Amino acid sequence: MRTTFHAELDRLAAELGAMCATAGSIMSSATAAVVYGDMNAADRVWSELSHLSALNQRVQDRTLTVLARQAPVARELRFVVSAIRIAGDADRMGGLAANVAKVAQRNHPAPAIPSDTTAHFAEMGRVAVELANRAHHALADFDADKAREVGPADREMNDLHRRLFTLVSDATWTHGAAAAVDVALLGRFYERFADHAVEIARRIVFEATGETPERTDYEAAMEATL
């Protein structure tokens, strides 16, 4: 009975990892749509998002089954509770990536962003996918050390987001208000995507150690603005 139970928890961890990997793939496709005007990539977003939703439903069903049949306690209960929350974060990551693709589709056939911001968004996309992949690898065995590796990439995303805001608010911006709004929105989508990856990492550390990592001063300040 316990062997079956632990096999169920292993499948749950694998599905959570697959959710993070899928969220990263969605963001990769969405970034290609925004940066390069690739509408085939934008179309892929929706099929990938459907797959993510199916994974999320599978995780929710499995966690309910485990709670009902196994009545887990202590660390096992902590694992199941963390799994529910991680699935929610990964699902939101996919939704934020889909919002990026929507901006590209709404502006098509015109470029979604000014040409002097494409390199910036390409880099934000790269970092976002890296964050999702790091969360994926940490979930393979709920490895706290791997989860802590999410932090440096998140700080890189925060720096990119700050520089983007400076660019849009600068007096030398010549692309108009509509482009500024789109660029600001896109930056926010990427930054929030990263925030959810950080939350996943924090939950992995909690599950593995029983301790919740403290938020950085930057994270606390950003949370206070929400």
Side-chain angles (χ1 to χ4, degrees), residues 121-138:
F121 279 110
E123 185 64 6
M124 293 185 87
R126 182 195 66 77
V127 174
V129 173
E130 179 183 346
L131 281 160
N133 288 338
R134 287 190 180 191
H136 172 206
H137 294 314

PDB file of all heavy atoms in Angstrom, residues 121-138:
ATOM      1  N   PHE A 121      13.508  42.147 -25.247  1.00  0.00           N
ATOM      2  CA  PHE A 121      12.480  41.139 -25.004  1.00  0.00           C
ATOM      3  C   PHE A 121      12.981  39.732 -25.320  1.00  0.00           C
ATOM      4  O   PHE A 121      12.545  38.764 -24.687  1.00  0.00           O
ATOM      5  CB  PHE A 121      11.216  41.464 -25.791  1.00  0.00           C
ATOM      6  CG  PHE A 121      10.355  42.494 -25.113  1.00  0.00           C
ATOM      7  CD1 PHE A 121      10.223  43.768 -25.635  1.00  0.00           C
ATOM      8  CD2 PHE A 121       9.709  42.192 -23.926  1.00  0.00           C
ATOM      9  CE1 PHE A 121       9.442  44.719 -25.006  1.00  0.00           C
ATOM     10  CE2 PHE A 121       8.923  43.135 -23.272  1.00  0.00           C
ATOM     11  CZ  PHE A 121       8.788  44.408 -23.812  1.00  0.00           C
ATOM     12  N   ALA A 122      13.871  39.612 -26.288  1.00  0.00           N
ATOM     13  CA  ALA A 122      14.463  38.299 -26.546  1.00  0.00           C
ATOM     14  C   ALA A 122      15.205  37.810 -25.302  1.00  0.00           C
ATOM     15  O   ALA A 122      15.141  36.617 -24.947  1.00  0.00           O
ATOM     16  CB  ALA A 122      15.411  38.376 -27.744  1.00  0.00           C
ATOM     17  N   GLU A 123      15.891  38.721 -24.634  1.00  0.00           N
ATOM     18  CA  GLU A 123      16.619  38.353 -23.413  1.00  0.00           C
ATOM     19  C   GLU A 123      15.654  38.037 -22.273  1.00  0.00           C
ATOM     20  O   GLU A 123      15.879  37.091 -21.501  1.00  0.00           O
ATOM     21  CB  GLU A 123      17.559  39.498 -23.008  1.00  0.00           C
ATOM     22  CG  GLU A 123      18.458  39.197 -21.824  1.00  0.00           C
ATOM     23  CD  GLU A 123      19.463  38.072 -22.086  1.00  0.00           C
ATOM     24  OE1 GLU A 123      19.545  37.582 -23.238  1.00  0.00           O
ATOM     25  OE2 GLU A 123      20.150  37.672 -21.133  1.00  0.00           O
ATOM     26  N   MET A 124      14.588  38.799 -22.148  1.00  0.00           N
ATOM     27  CA  MET A 124      13.591  38.502 -21.120  1.00  0.00           C
ATOM     28  C   MET A 124      12.970  37.125 -21.359  1.00  0.00           C
ATOM     29  O   MET A 124      12.728  36.359 -20.415  1.00  0.00           O
ATOM     30  CB  MET A 124      12.508  39.585 -21.088  1.00  0.00           C
ATOM     31  CG  MET A 124      13.002  40.937 -20.622  1.00  0.00           C
ATOM     32  SD  MET A 124      11.683  42.176 -20.436  1.00  0.00           S
ATOM     33  CE  MET A 124      11.140  41.861 -18.760  1.00  0.00           C
ATOM     34  N   GLY A 125      12.738  36.803 -22.637  1.00  0.00           N
ATOM     35  CA  GLY A 125      12.200  35.493 -22.957  1.00  0.00           C
ATOM     36  C   GLY A 125      13.162  34.385 -22.597  1.00  0.00           C
ATOM     37  O   GLY A 125      12.763  33.342 -22.057  1.00  0.00           O
ATOM     38  N   ARG A 126      14.440  34.608 -22.881  1.00  0.00           N
ATOM     39  CA  ARG A 126      15.458  33.597 -22.559  1.00  0.00           C
ATOM     40  C   ARG A 126      15.499  33.336 -21.061  1.00  0.00           C
ATOM     41  O   ARG A 126      15.529  32.176 -20.609  1.00  0.00           O
ATOM     42  CB  ARG A 126      16.834  34.054 -23.038  1.00  0.00           C
ATOM     43  CG  ARG A 126      17.949  33.033 -22.773  1.00  0.00           C
ATOM     44  CD  ARG A 126      19.323  33.647 -22.919  1.00  0.00           C
ATOM     45  NE  ARG A 126      19.610  34.662 -21.911  1.00  0.00           N
ATOM     46  CZ  ARG A 126      19.933  34.387 -20.644  1.00  0.00           C
ATOM     47  NH1 ARG A 126      20.006  33.131 -20.224  1.00  0.00           N
ATOM     48  NH2 ARG A 126      20.187  35.373 -19.798  1.00  0.00           N
ATOM     49  N   VAL A 127      15.484  34.398 -20.272  1.00  0.00           N
ATOM     50  CA  VAL A 127      15.555  34.256 -18.823  1.00  0.00           C
ATOM     51  C   VAL A 127      14.292  33.571 -18.293  1.00  0.00           C
ATOM     52  O   VAL A 127      14.354  32.721 -17.392  1.00  0.00           O
ATOM     53  CB  VAL A 127      15.763  35.623 -18.151  1.00  0.00           C
ATOM     54  CG1 VAL A 127      15.697  35.495 -16.627  1.00  0.00           C
ATOM     55  CG2 VAL A 127      17.103  36.223 -18.565  1.00  0.00           C
ATOM     56  N   ALA A 128      13.140  33.938 -18.855  1.00  0.00           N
ATOM     57  CA  ALA A 128      11.881  33.332 -18.412  1.00  0.00           C
ATOM     58  C   ALA A 128      11.892  31.819 -18.640  1.00  0.00           C
ATOM     59  O   ALA A 128      11.502  31.033 -17.765  1.00  0.00           O
ATOM     60  CB  ALA A 128      10.706  33.969 -19.147  1.00  0.00           C
ATOM     61  N   VAL A 129      12.346  31.399 -19.809  1.00  0.00           N
ATOM     62  CA  VAL A 129      12.410  29.964 -20.112  1.00  0.00           C
ATOM     63  C   VAL A 129      13.410  29.271 -19.190  1.00  0.00           C
ATOM     64  O   VAL A 129      13.175  28.150 -18.708  1.00  0.00           O
ATOM     65  CB  VAL A 129      12.763  29.738 -21.594  1.00  0.00           C
ATOM     66  CG1 VAL A 129      12.997  28.258 -21.876  1.00  0.00           C
ATOM     67  CG2 VAL A 129      11.659  30.275 -22.500  1.00  0.00           C
ATOM     68  N   GLU A 130      14.531  29.940 -18.915  1.00  0.00           N
ATOM     69  CA  GLU A 130      15.525  29.377 -17.999  1.00  0.00           C
ATOM     70  C   GLU A 130      14.924  29.173 -16.604  1.00  0.00           C
ATOM     71  O   GLU A 130      15.156  28.141 -15.958  1.00  0.00           O
ATOM     72  CB  GLU A 130      16.740  30.300 -17.912  1.00  0.00           C
ATOM     73  CG  GLU A 130      17.823  29.802 -16.961  1.00  0.00           C
ATOM     74  CD  GLU A 130      18.985  30.772 -16.826  1.00  0.00           C
ATOM     75  OE1 GLU A 130      19.106  31.696 -17.650  1.00  0.00           O
ATOM     76  OE2 GLU A 130      19.768  30.595 -15.872  1.00  0.00           O
ATOM     77  N   LEU A 131      14.145  30.134 -16.145  1.00  0.00           N
ATOM     78  CA  LEU A 131      13.501  30.013 -14.839  1.00  0.00           C
ATOM     79  C   LEU A 131      12.557  28.819 -14.797  1.00  0.00           C
ATOM     80  O   LEU A 131      12.536  28.049 -13.835  1.00  0.00           O
ATOM     81  CB  LEU A 131      12.738  31.302 -14.521  1.00  0.00           C
ATOM     82  CG  LEU A 131      13.583  32.470 -14.019  1.00  0.00           C
ATOM     83  CD1 LEU A 131      12.837  33.784 -14.204  1.00  0.00           C
ATOM     84  CD2 LEU A 131      13.927  32.266 -12.552  1.00  0.00           C
ATOM     85  N   ALA A 132      11.755  28.671 -15.852  1.00  0.00           N
ATOM     86  CA  ALA A 132      10.819  27.544 -15.908  1.00  0.00           C
ATOM     87  C   ALA A 132      11.570  26.216 -15.918  1.00  0.00           C
ATOM     88  O   ALA A 132      11.171  25.255 -15.247  1.00  0.00           O
ATOM     89  CB  ALA A 132       9.924  27.667 -17.141  1.00  0.00           C
ATOM     90  N   ASN A 133      12.661  26.160 -16.666  1.00  0.00           N
ATOM     91  CA  ASN A 133      13.434  24.919 -16.741  1.00  0.00           C
ATOM     92  C   ASN A 133      14.122  24.601 -15.418  1.00  0.00           C
ATOM     93  O   ASN A 133      14.217  23.428 -15.023  1.00  0.00           O
ATOM     94  CB  ASN A 133      14.460  25.014 -17.871  1.00  0.00           C
ATOM     95  CG  ASN A 133      13.811  24.939 -19.246  1.00  0.00           C
ATOM     96  OD1 ASN A 133      12.699  24.428 -19.381  1.00  0.00           O
ATOM     97  ND2 ASN A 133      14.490  25.452 -20.252  1.00  0.00           N
ATOM     98  N   ARG A 134      14.594  25.627 -14.729  1.00  0.00           N
ATOM     99  CA  ARG A 134      15.223  25.381 -13.427  1.00  0.00           C
ATOM    100  C   ARG A 134      14.193  24.855 -12.432  1.00  0.00           C
ATOM    101  O   ARG A 134      14.494  23.960 -11.622  1.00  0.00           O
ATOM    102  CB  ARG A 134      15.864  26.661 -12.899  1.00  0.00           C
ATOM    103  CG  ARG A 134      17.128  27.053 -13.642  1.00  0.00           C
ATOM    104  CD  ARG A 134      17.879  28.174 -12.948  1.00  0.00           C
ATOM    105  NE  ARG A 134      19.089  28.541 -13.686  1.00  0.00           N
ATOM    106  CZ  ARG A 134      20.031  29.330 -13.237  1.00  0.00           C
ATOM    107  NH1 ARG A 134      19.919  29.875 -12.031  1.00  0.00           N
ATOM    108  NH2 ARG A 134      21.090  29.620 -13.961  1.00  0.00           N
ATOM    109  N   ALA A 135      12.988  25.415 -12.483  1.00  0.00           N
ATOM    110  CA  ALA A 135      11.928  24.910 -11.619  1.00  0.00           C
ATOM    111  C   ALA A 135      11.593  23.467 -11.968  1.00  0.00           C
ATOM    112  O   ALA A 135      11.380  22.625 -11.082  1.00  0.00           O
ATOM    113  CB  ALA A 135      10.691  25.787 -11.750  1.00  0.00           C
ATOM    114  N   HIS A 136      11.568  23.164 -13.259  1.00  0.00           N
ATOM    115  CA  HIS A 136      11.315  21.800 -13.720  1.00  0.00           C
ATOM    116  C   HIS A 136      12.333  20.829 -13.139  1.00  0.00           C
ATOM    117  O   HIS A 136      11.976  19.780 -12.590  1.00  0.00           O
ATOM    118  CB  HIS A 136      11.349  21.781 -15.256  1.00  0.00           C
ATOM    119  CG  HIS A 136      11.285  20.423 -15.856  1.00  0.00           C
ATOM    120  ND1 HIS A 136      11.809  20.125 -17.096  1.00  0.00           N
ATOM    121  CD2 HIS A 136      10.784  19.244 -15.398  1.00  0.00           C
ATOM    122  CE1 HIS A 136      11.615  18.857 -17.372  1.00  0.00           C
ATOM    123  NE2 HIS A 136      10.998  18.301 -16.354  1.00  0.00           N
ATOM    124  N   HIS A 137      13.608  21.171 -13.243  1.00  0.00           N
ATOM    125  CA  HIS A 137      14.657  20.268 -12.752  1.00  0.00           C
ATOM    126  C   HIS A 137      14.609  20.125 -11.231  1.00  0.00           C
ATOM    127  O   HIS A 137      14.843  19.032 -10.695  1.00  0.00           O
ATOM    128  CB  HIS A 137      16.025  20.779 -13.194  1.00  0.00           C
ATOM    129  CG  HIS A 137      16.234  20.733 -14.677  1.00  0.00           C
ATOM    130  ND1 HIS A 137      15.921  19.637 -15.441  1.00  0.00           N
ATOM    131  CD2 HIS A 137      16.718  21.659 -15.551  1.00  0.00           C
ATOM    132  CE1 HIS A 137      16.196  19.870 -16.709  1.00  0.00           C
ATOM    133  NE2 HIS A 137      16.677  21.093 -16.807  1.00  0.00           N
ATOM    134  N   ALA A 138      14.285  21.200 -10.537  1.00  0.00           N
ATOM    135  CA  ALA A 138      14.201  21.128  -9.076  1.00  0.00           C
ATOM    136  C   ALA A 138      13.045  20.237  -8.633  1.00  0.00           C
ATOM    137  O   ALA A 138      13.117  19.560  -7.600  1.00  0.00           O
ATOM    138  CB  ALA A 138      14.037  22.528  -8.485  1.00  0.00           C
TER     139      ALA A 138
END
